Amino acid sequence: MSRAGKIARRTFLIGSAAIAGGVAFGVYMAKKPIPNPLLDDLKDGEAAITPFVKIDAEGITLITPRADKGQGAYSIQAYLIAEELDIDPATAMITPGMPGQAYYNASVLSEGVPFPAYQDGFVAETLRDFMSVPAKLFSIQMTGGSSTVPDGFDRMRLAGATARETLKEAAARRVGVARGDLRTENGAVILPDGTSIAYTDLAAEAAEIDPVTDVTLRPASAWRYLGKPDLPRLDMLRKCTGTEVYGIDMEFQDMLHATVRANPAVGTAGARVDASAAEGMRGVEKILPVSNGVGVIANNTWRAFQAAEALEIEWSAPDYPGTSEGIFATLEQALGDPDSYDHRQRNEGDVDAALEAGEVIEARYRIPYLAHAPMEPMNAVVRVLDAQVEIWTGTQIPLFIRDRAATIAGVEPEAVKVYVLPMGGSFGHRLEMTHVEQAVELALAVPGRHLKLTWSREEDMSHDYPRPASVAAGRGKVADGKVMAFDLSVSQSAMAPEWFGRLSGMSLPGPDATITTGSWDQPFDIPDYRVTGYRAPSMVPVSSWRSVGASGNGFYHDSFLDELIHAAGADPLAERIRLCLHEPARKVLEAVGEMSGWDGPSIAEGRGRGVGFCMSFGVPCAQVIEVTQTDEGIRIDQVYVAVDVGEVLDPTNLEAQVFGGVIFGLGHAMNCALTYENHAPLETNYHAYEGMRLYQAPQIEVRALSNGSRIRGVGEPGVPPAAPALANAIFAATGQRIRELPLNKHIDFV
Amino acid sequence: MKLTVNGTEHEVDVEPEMPLLWVLRDELNIKGPKYGCGIAQCGACTVHVDGMAVRSCQLPVGDLEGGVTTIEGLGTPERLHAVQAAWVAHQVAQCGYCQSGQIMQAAALLDLNPEPSDAEIDAVMSGNLCRCGTYPRIRAAIHDAAQKLSEA
Ligand code: FES
Ligand code: FES
């Protein structure tokens, strides 16, 4: 399926009249040509054909600007380019490149539009395209929001195709034949007589001519890599041999090793420090203040950790409640309070009238703060030399880091180079940059030396910006075996404005959609249907966590829907299907029904199944979970998942991402919370915050459908339905309805 | 102080309490073993000492007795160990950060128990955390490696 019209509109006319009318952000700036970051770095003889492909006599380099945190971005971006460029990506150099505005991420903001993702009408589509203009203005070269594939699908193939046709044009001019008579294969242009000229041999000539931009993308039926089963990930061999170099593995001659201790009340300054015990310890070179804490510079990471532990520190307290109890009381207070009203993006029928009389079903829910806790703790290597700053780190936000480092070091952004490295997980943690700020502060004290800052696991977990805690209240009504009224209110501190403010220093006006994302935008048709967001005061500073707003809202919306369906006496799956107004979503519900052989929520005495559904990032995902009540607790027997990403580019990795999403969703729903005491979480390492271990991991079966109209990413949509599907299954097996996460506060698991 | 890693003898000048993990990573620049928790809760730092899986973050280098094998010594991209080959075949790794430890643990398991059941795999491998959730493929890859090793 080629979508050339759409491609032209998005890639080239993004700031033009076609989408100009009414953009509030300044079309003029968006129309200015975007500087090509590669041009700064080009050696003689290299031809910069597009910012995604570099070719010189030595070889072909593919630039994959979306960072790999485990989701396979590195690999799929290279395949997208290679598919049109006609090369084997395993033979190319692949690098994330220098951060640059040309790599702005149009898709990550496009889900912020006030249209649910299942609406594909003209206005919704146009607004989604508008939103790529602010992405460009805000310089958001960002990885997140399951956006790598949707954002790169057209652009990176187009880059490959443009490069290919330009190389053909160069060959055509050299030998005096028409470009149309040439073809390409395996990194070479093939002449009509069968002679081949390597791309690398054409690089210099290709640099001399205007790029050929009137290219047509190949239809899926002609694909050689994309959509094929067993597409190997290009980083797999390195990751199975210990040879992948993560940020934490960077090594330089005479490098210093540092760590920090910062105020456990995140974002709060002020401390009294006694460093006398730490100062004389072996290998300790310097102990210095950093923002909100203290840094130790030593000649070995362990020595830095030991010295940091030996510091005696008295922290000052923040102005928000210091305990989980106080935090939840604040959230409860804002829930339904007109002064805390934030937004209501769904309001159908007349909910107030519907709930005025008769039997109203009510339920209250809550979810805790959660840490991201990726396996690789936060780290960064920084060197400051002659007013230049170099940074090596695994990050989703290289441009924000560049600008902040420039401010801290007092240099121009152009004097900062950010080298993005593979990440040992993120789940949203690497959308923050406190550790890089600290590393720059410390590196300024040791000019000319490389300094690696590593957070201990304890520092990493207690200085995470967690997934927001929130509370919700559902009120609803059923009649004649049907769900008739659904009213959900959610109260949470504002997440998106806090995060954006931390990164950019700018305030994000308007409501915070993340409070209800995953509940207001579900593809159901209920006669009286309303979802309202309430903004609680800022407390523990919070951030995005894999699947963002939907991580909690998926639980709220689907749990309450399940309660209403049970109250109506309807079948949980059949009633969801009846209420569903979006064809691809209905199909995933039907698919999990078929996969699980669904014949009702009860399987046998002590055995039950639950269905969970959430549409997030435009991807409808349904899950059926089967559980058994045993003497040792609940055992998860089997999970069936159906998703629709529009078009599956890498089936093997899609399955891996869904496995990972389900396990992430289940593990945290079952076992994890950050509990606050004295302004700090009690859980600071994996013994108290496990997620899921192998022995709890269920069998998971995945089916990918392709009925959706747009191509979508799958890194996150597997997460939200897992928690409600499990809670609904536990209800089916035991009759116990659990409305608070983690579930293990209320029930044991095997 | 002397220690042998992947067949090579090294001399290091460190305090005996320094955990083997940090001697490997920061003194010898052997980066395959990873730091994840420092308290024996994640297994990312797993290496072999005389063939036994050991959490290197917990072993003071002064207490080390025997030769150390890290993932770099188990197999190389050109010459994969059967467990690594199974990991590649099953496309196990996502972020990959835990996988050095997972592979070292699995190799030690198969050494002691060439045909582990699912329950035995669960018991031995549950000390190795994977935050990306690669567990279903880890199970499959271990069975596959077991079979390949028994045929060899
Ligand atoms: S770092 Fe050794 S077990 Fe986690
Ligand atoms: S693959 Fe990422 S932690 Fe295991």
PDB file of all heavy atoms in Angstrom, chain A residues 69-70 374-375 424-425 427, chain B residues 92-99 102 129-134 138, ligand 2:
ATOM      1  N   LYS A  69      16.179   1.384  23.112  1.00  0.00           N
ATOM      2  CA  LYS A  69      16.167   1.104  24.539  1.00  0.00           C
ATOM      3  C   LYS A  69      15.747  -0.334  24.764  1.00  0.00           C
ATOM      4  O   LYS A  69      15.370  -0.711  25.851  1.00  0.00           O
ATOM      5  CB  LYS A  69      15.243   2.089  25.260  1.00  0.00           C
ATOM      6  CG  LYS A  69      13.889   2.320  24.591  1.00  0.00           C
ATOM      7  CD  LYS A  69      13.361   3.700  24.993  1.00  0.00           C
ATOM      8  CE  LYS A  69      11.876   3.894  24.791  1.00  0.00           C
ATOM      9  NZ  LYS A  69      11.324   3.849  23.462  1.00  0.00           N
ATOM     10  N   GLY A  70      15.813  -1.113  23.689  1.00  0.00           N
ATOM     11  CA  GLY A  70      15.444  -2.517  23.798  1.00  0.00           C
ATOM     12  C   GLY A  70      14.279  -2.870  22.905  1.00  0.00           C
ATOM     13  O   GLY A  70      13.999  -4.029  22.650  1.00  0.00           O
ATOM     14  N   PRO A 374      14.846   0.479  34.913  1.00  0.00           N
ATOM     15  CA  PRO A 374      15.474  -0.316  33.850  1.00  0.00           C
ATOM     16  C   PRO A 374      16.736  -0.966  34.396  1.00  0.00           C
ATOM     17  O   PRO A 374      17.309  -0.483  35.373  1.00  0.00           O
ATOM     18  CB  PRO A 374      15.828   0.722  32.778  1.00  0.00           C
ATOM     19  CG  PRO A 374      16.003   1.999  33.538  1.00  0.00           C
ATOM     20  CD  PRO A 374      15.002   1.930  34.668  1.00  0.00           C
ATOM     21  N   MET A 375      17.149  -2.083  33.767  1.00  0.00           N
ATOM     22  CA  MET A 375      18.283  -2.832  34.326  1.00  0.00           C
ATOM     23  C   MET A 375      19.570  -2.011  34.350  1.00  0.00           C
ATOM     24  O   MET A 375      20.383  -2.161  35.250  1.00  0.00           O
ATOM     25  CB  MET A 375      18.508  -4.111  33.512  1.00  0.00           C
ATOM     26  CG  MET A 375      17.478  -5.177  33.771  1.00  0.00           C
ATOM     27  SD  MET A 375      17.557  -5.857  35.435  1.00  0.00           S
ATOM     28  CE  MET A 375      19.050  -6.803  35.320  1.00  0.00           C
ATOM     29  N   GLY A 424      20.198   0.070  28.248  1.00  0.00           N
ATOM     30  CA  GLY A 424      19.752  -1.132  28.959  1.00  0.00           C
ATOM     31  C   GLY A 424      18.379  -0.906  29.544  1.00  0.00           C
ATOM     32  O   GLY A 424      18.171  -0.927  30.741  1.00  0.00           O
ATOM     33  N   GLY A 425      17.414  -0.674  28.657  1.00  0.00           N
ATOM     34  CA  GLY A 425      16.037  -0.408  29.084  1.00  0.00           C
ATOM     35  C   GLY A 425      15.843   1.066  29.386  1.00  0.00           C
ATOM     36  O   GLY A 425      16.790   1.840  29.532  1.00  0.00           O
ATOM     37  N   PHE A 427      11.866   2.471  29.666  1.00  0.00           N
ATOM     38  CA  PHE A 427      10.466   2.487  30.101  1.00  0.00           C
ATOM     39  C   PHE A 427      10.014   3.907  30.436  1.00  0.00           C
ATOM     40  O   PHE A 427       9.040   4.105  31.152  1.00  0.00           O
ATOM     41  CB  PHE A 427      10.251   1.526  31.287  1.00  0.00           C
ATOM     42  CG  PHE A 427      10.929   0.199  31.077  1.00  0.00           C
ATOM     43  CD1 PHE A 427      11.931  -0.241  31.926  1.00  0.00           C
ATOM     44  CD2 PHE A 427      10.601  -0.583  29.981  1.00  0.00           C
ATOM     45  CE1 PHE A 427      12.587  -1.440  31.685  1.00  0.00           C
ATOM     46  CE2 PHE A 427      11.249  -1.779  29.733  1.00  0.00           C
ATOM     47  CZ  PHE A 427      12.242  -2.207  30.596  1.00  0.00           C
TER      48      PHE A 427
ATOM     49  N   VAL B  92      16.208 -13.668  21.572  1.00  0.00           N
ATOM     50  CA  VAL B  92      15.796 -13.459  22.963  1.00  0.00           C
ATOM     51  C   VAL B  92      15.924 -12.004  23.404  1.00  0.00           C
ATOM     52  O   VAL B  92      15.030 -11.439  24.017  1.00  0.00           O
ATOM     53  CB  VAL B  92      16.613 -14.364  23.923  1.00  0.00           C
ATOM     54  CG1 VAL B  92      16.289 -14.013  25.372  1.00  0.00           C
ATOM     55  CG2 VAL B  92      16.294 -15.844  23.656  1.00  0.00           C
ATOM     56  N   ALA B  93      17.062 -11.385  23.101  1.00  0.00           N
ATOM     57  CA  ALA B  93      17.380 -10.102  23.746  1.00  0.00           C
ATOM     58  C   ALA B  93      16.473  -8.975  23.273  1.00  0.00           C
ATOM     59  O   ALA B  93      16.135  -8.884  22.099  1.00  0.00           O
ATOM     60  CB  ALA B  93      18.832  -9.734  23.471  1.00  0.00           C
ATOM     61  N   GLN B  94      16.079  -8.134  24.218  1.00  0.00           N
ATOM     62  CA  GLN B  94      15.446  -6.856  23.853  1.00  0.00           C
ATOM     63  C   GLN B  94      16.489  -5.773  24.115  1.00  0.00           C
ATOM     64  O   GLN B  94      17.313  -5.502  23.256  1.00  0.00           O
ATOM     65  CB  GLN B  94      14.136  -6.667  24.600  1.00  0.00           C
ATOM     66  CG  GLN B  94      13.072  -7.644  24.072  1.00  0.00           C
ATOM     67  CD  GLN B  94      11.696  -7.394  24.652  1.00  0.00           C
ATOM     68  OE1 GLN B  94      11.318  -6.281  24.967  1.00  0.00           O
ATOM     69  NE2 GLN B  94      10.914  -8.452  24.769  1.00  0.00           N
ATOM     70  N   CYS B  95      16.492  -5.169  25.324  1.00  0.00           N
ATOM     71  CA  CYS B  95      17.591  -4.232  25.580  1.00  0.00           C
ATOM     72  C   CYS B  95      18.903  -4.976  25.696  1.00  0.00           C
ATOM     73  O   CYS B  95      19.958  -4.443  25.399  1.00  0.00           O
ATOM     74  CB  CYS B  95      17.319  -3.370  26.810  1.00  0.00           C
ATOM     75  SG  CYS B  95      17.779  -4.117  28.394  1.00  0.00           S
ATOM     76  N   GLY B  96      18.841  -6.223  26.151  1.00  0.00           N
ATOM     77  CA  GLY B  96      20.030  -7.060  26.197  1.00  0.00           C
ATOM     78  C   GLY B  96      20.888  -6.916  27.441  1.00  0.00           C
ATOM     79  O   GLY B  96      21.826  -7.682  27.635  1.00  0.00           O
ATOM     80  N   TYR B  97      20.553  -5.945  28.281  1.00  0.00           N
ATOM     81  CA  TYR B  97      21.437  -5.640  29.410  1.00  0.00           C
ATOM     82  C   TYR B  97      21.537  -6.785  30.409  1.00  0.00           C
ATOM     83  O   TYR B  97      22.569  -7.017  31.000  1.00  0.00           O
ATOM     84  CB  TYR B  97      20.941  -4.367  30.105  1.00  0.00           C
ATOM     85  CG  TYR B  97      21.923  -3.764  31.075  1.00  0.00           C
ATOM     86  CD1 TYR B  97      22.980  -2.966  30.621  1.00  0.00           C
ATOM     87  CD2 TYR B  97      21.808  -3.982  32.442  1.00  0.00           C
ATOM     88  CE1 TYR B  97      23.870  -2.394  31.505  1.00  0.00           C
ATOM     89  CE2 TYR B  97      22.707  -3.415  33.337  1.00  0.00           C
ATOM     90  CZ  TYR B  97      23.735  -2.624  32.869  1.00  0.00           C
ATOM     91  OH  TYR B  97      24.616  -2.062  33.752  1.00  0.00           O
ATOM     92  N   CYS B  98      20.449  -7.525  30.590  1.00  0.00           N
ATOM     93  CA  CYS B  98      20.471  -8.645  31.539  1.00  0.00           C
ATOM     94  C   CYS B  98      21.042  -9.903  30.923  1.00  0.00           C
ATOM     95  O   CYS B  98      21.263 -10.892  31.621  1.00  0.00           O
ATOM     96  CB  CYS B  98      19.051  -8.959  32.014  1.00  0.00           C
ATOM     97  SG  CYS B  98      18.039  -9.743  30.727  1.00  0.00           S
ATOM     98  N   GLN B  99      21.230  -9.901  29.587  1.00  0.00           N
ATOM     99  CA  GLN B  99      21.417 -11.189  28.901  1.00  0.00           C
ATOM    100  C   GLN B  99      22.775 -11.834  29.134  1.00  0.00           C
ATOM    101  O   GLN B  99      22.870 -13.062  29.111  1.00  0.00           O
ATOM    102  CB  GLN B  99      21.111 -11.059  27.402  1.00  0.00           C
ATOM    103  CG  GLN B  99      19.682 -10.603  27.066  1.00  0.00           C
ATOM    104  CD  GLN B  99      18.596 -11.582  27.523  1.00  0.00           C
ATOM    105  OE1 GLN B  99      18.869 -12.735  27.854  1.00  0.00           O
ATOM    106  NE2 GLN B  99      17.347 -11.107  27.568  1.00  0.00           N
ATOM    107  N   GLN B 102      21.993 -13.756  32.118  1.00  0.00           N
ATOM    108  CA  GLN B 102      21.050 -14.849  31.823  1.00  0.00           C
ATOM    109  C   GLN B 102      21.792 -16.008  31.142  1.00  0.00           C
ATOM    110  O   GLN B 102      21.601 -17.181  31.490  1.00  0.00           O
ATOM    111  CB  GLN B 102      19.927 -14.377  30.869  1.00  0.00           C
ATOM    112  CG  GLN B 102      19.125 -13.172  31.343  1.00  0.00           C
ATOM    113  CD  GLN B 102      18.012 -13.518  32.330  1.00  0.00           C
ATOM    114  OE1 GLN B 102      17.864 -14.669  32.744  1.00  0.00           O
ATOM    115  NE2 GLN B 102      17.245 -12.513  32.715  1.00  0.00           N
ATOM    116  N   LEU B 129      16.870 -11.323  36.854  1.00  0.00           N
ATOM    117  CA  LEU B 129      15.747 -10.457  36.496  1.00  0.00           C
ATOM    118  C   LEU B 129      15.900  -9.986  35.051  1.00  0.00           C
ATOM    119  O   LEU B 129      17.006  -9.721  34.599  1.00  0.00           O
ATOM    120  CB  LEU B 129      15.785  -9.253  37.433  1.00  0.00           C
ATOM    121  CG  LEU B 129      14.527  -8.439  37.620  1.00  0.00           C
ATOM    122  CD1 LEU B 129      13.427  -9.292  38.227  1.00  0.00           C
ATOM    123  CD2 LEU B 129      14.835  -7.249  38.559  1.00  0.00           C
ATOM    124  N   CYS B 130      14.770  -9.905  34.336  1.00  0.00           N
ATOM    125  CA  CYS B 130      14.770  -9.251  33.025  1.00  0.00           C
ATOM    126  C   CYS B 130      13.637  -8.239  33.037  1.00  0.00           C
ATOM    127  O   CYS B 130      12.472  -8.623  33.043  1.00  0.00           O
ATOM    128  CB  CYS B 130      14.568 -10.247  31.884  1.00  0.00           C
ATOM    129  SG  CYS B 130      14.415  -9.406  30.293  1.00  0.00           S
ATOM    130  N   ARG B 131      13.963  -6.983  33.035  1.00  0.00           N
ATOM    131  CA  ARG B 131      12.918  -5.957  33.108  1.00  0.00           C
ATOM    132  C   ARG B 131      12.190  -5.822  31.778  1.00  0.00           C
ATOM    133  O   ARG B 131      11.111  -5.258  31.722  1.00  0.00           O
ATOM    134  CB  ARG B 131      13.524  -4.624  33.523  1.00  0.00           C
ATOM    135  CG  ARG B 131      14.070  -4.622  34.942  1.00  0.00           C
ATOM    136  CD  ARG B 131      12.989  -4.511  35.998  1.00  0.00           C
ATOM    137  NE  ARG B 131      12.283  -3.256  35.928  1.00  0.00           N
ATOM    138  CZ  ARG B 131      11.045  -3.058  36.390  1.00  0.00           C
ATOM    139  NH1 ARG B 131      10.380  -4.061  36.937  1.00  0.00           N
ATOM    140  NH2 ARG B 131      10.481  -1.882  36.294  1.00  0.00           N
ATOM    141  N   CYS B 132      12.795  -6.313  30.678  1.00  0.00           N
ATOM    142  CA  CYS B 132      12.126  -6.236  29.376  1.00  0.00           C
ATOM    143  C   CYS B 132      11.140  -7.376  29.173  1.00  0.00           C
ATOM    144  O   CYS B 132      10.393  -7.377  28.203  1.00  0.00           O
ATOM    145  CB  CYS B 132      13.145  -6.252  28.244  1.00  0.00           C
ATOM    146  SG  CYS B 132      14.244  -4.830  28.242  1.00  0.00           S
ATOM    147  N   GLY B 133      11.168  -8.382  30.043  1.00  0.00           N
ATOM    148  CA  GLY B 133      10.205  -9.476  29.917  1.00  0.00           C
ATOM    149  C   GLY B 133      10.506 -10.455  28.805  1.00  0.00           C
ATOM    150  O   GLY B 133       9.625 -10.856  28.049  1.00  0.00           O
ATOM    151  N   THR B 134      11.763 -10.903  28.712  1.00  0.00           N
ATOM    152  CA  THR B 134      12.122 -11.856  27.656  1.00  0.00           C
ATOM    153  C   THR B 134      11.927 -13.308  28.102  1.00  0.00           C
ATOM    154  O   THR B 134      12.354 -14.222  27.413  1.00  0.00           O
ATOM    155  CB  THR B 134      13.604 -11.680  27.238  1.00  0.00           C
ATOM    156  OG1 THR B 134      14.439 -11.910  28.380  1.00  0.00           O
ATOM    157  CG2 THR B 134      13.860 -10.269  26.734  1.00  0.00           C
ATOM    158  N   ILE B 138      13.461 -16.996  26.811  1.00  0.00           N
ATOM    159  CA  ILE B 138      14.556 -17.597  27.583  1.00  0.00           C
ATOM    160  C   ILE B 138      14.250 -19.074  27.813  1.00  0.00           C
ATOM    161  O   ILE B 138      15.095 -19.949  27.583  1.00  0.00           O
ATOM    162  CB  ILE B 138      14.746 -16.866  28.932  1.00  0.00           C
ATOM    163  CG1 ILE B 138      15.401 -15.495  28.700  1.00  0.00           C
ATOM    164  CG2 ILE B 138      15.583 -17.706  29.904  1.00  0.00           C
ATOM    165  CD1 ILE B 138      15.609 -14.666  29.951  1.00  0.00           C
TER     166      ILE B 138
HETATM  167  S1  FES C   2      16.535  -7.796  27.828  1.00  0.00           S
HETATM  168 FE1  FES C   2      16.320  -5.903  28.856  1.00  0.00          FE
HETATM  169  S2  FES C   2      16.457  -6.457  30.917  1.00  0.00           S
HETATM  170 FE2  FES C   2      16.482  -8.343  29.912  1.00  0.00          FE
END
